[in-house]
Amino acid sequence: MSKIDAAALTADLIKCPSVTPVEGGALVLLEQLLSQASFACQRVDRGEVSNLFARWGDKGHAQTFGFNGHTDVVPVGDEAAWTKPPFGAIIEDGVMYGRGATDMKSGVAAFAAAAIDFVRETPPDGSIILAITGDEEADAIDGTTALLDYMDAQNEQMSVCLVGEPTCPNEMGEMMKIGRRGSLTAWFTFKGIQGHSAYPHRAKNPLPAMAQLMHMMASHELDQGTDHFDASTLAVVTMDTGNPATNVIPAECKSAVNIRFNDVHSGQSLIDWMQGLVDQVQQDTGVEIEMVSRVSGESFITPPGALSDLIAKAVTAETGLVPELSTSGGTSDARFVQHHCPVVEFGLVGKSMHQVDENVPVAQIHQLKEIYTRILRDYFS
């Protein structure tokens, strides 16, 4: 039987308009392909989200290698700004264009193709699990978390997992992710008393309270970094009043901050710190402040060891580069997988992800498949 062309599969997936949470035909395509290769497939849909669980080999085997990825993509944006059809998978000068070309239909295609060819050519003494979600780019509530809930209920267990997100900043093979920073967003509402700007003593202006609190947060050094993490960061992401009149002191204003934090902190410790500042500013100004917060994920790390060594060895063999072990970047579904088993991320160069004319060199897709194939061969050997 002929091998699976990972680039052709990428093109087929790009042509599925799977903007979160629309399935778009991508998981249907993968389920058909994997079923033909004797993978036991199960749709694990929850809410509006479609997910696919696929396993080759006996359930509960001590050696079970897992892949995780997503077929959903971010919206196209201004379609008129694209020079190629966003869902056309057009190839020009060896480069494939389309939404999801980098993030991350090429990664899913590469590990699906590697897994299928591997079990057909050299059936391993073990199992391979593919956990593919349609809800990574949005709230990620009913995506990989639903797959992991399903696996727990069915006593399905991955020994280790590789998430196929783009991880390389500029050159294929230069970086892998062994952890991620946590992410926390907090929204603040400042409530004063509206009045005439010529008579400020008759009003209670919430704006100075907002400015004071945002300055206290933004100017504070959270930490200086740790062995595996850069320093945590806090960014003020919005400050709004909605007040068009210069002779009116508004009754209310709003702001928000986003914190990317390392393993010095937990989401709760940062919430407690912010609440302390809120209490202080309320006392100083008399302005009522409400805070609502959401932790998208805690920081985590898979300590360097057998899994990272396995992946690094395969990357070096195929690219000639020794990948840096990094925890940089935003969040990924690895934050959920890390509660299930050791997890590492490795994938393509991510420079064009989420951009207009998102693209991937076709040669990189084939190279990524070879890396994943080598990882499987080395793991099961």
Side-chain angles (χ1 to χ4, degrees), residues 177-181 228-230 300-301 325-329:
K177 301 292 177 71
I178 60 169
R180 292 279 187 166
R181 296 179 298 174
H228 293 291
F229 289 91
D230 292 335
F300 75 92
I301 188 166
L325 306 185
S326 173
T327 58
S328 62

Side-chain angles (χ1 to χ4, degrees), residues 8 13 101 111 125 128 146 210 253 266 279 298 320 327 369:
L13 291 173
F111 69 60
D125 181 18
I128 297 175
M210 178 170 68
C253 56
S266 68
D279 294 344
E298 299 286 349
T327 58
K369 179 191 173 184

Side-chain angles (χ1 to χ4, degrees), residues 173 309-323 367 370-371 374-375 377-378:
D309 289 348
L310 170 77
I311 294 169
K313 178 183 175 183
V315 171
T316 300
E318 296 294 336
T319 69
L321 299 179
V322 177
Q367 189 175 32
E370 292 306 312
I371 292 170
R374 184 179 287 271
I375 289 169
R377 186 168 62 245
D378 292 349

Side-chain angles (χ1 to χ4, degrees), residues 1-14:
M1 189 172 291
S2 60
K3 291 188 175 183
I4 302 297
D5 186 327
L9 180 54
T10 299
D12 289 341
L13 291 173
I14 289 173

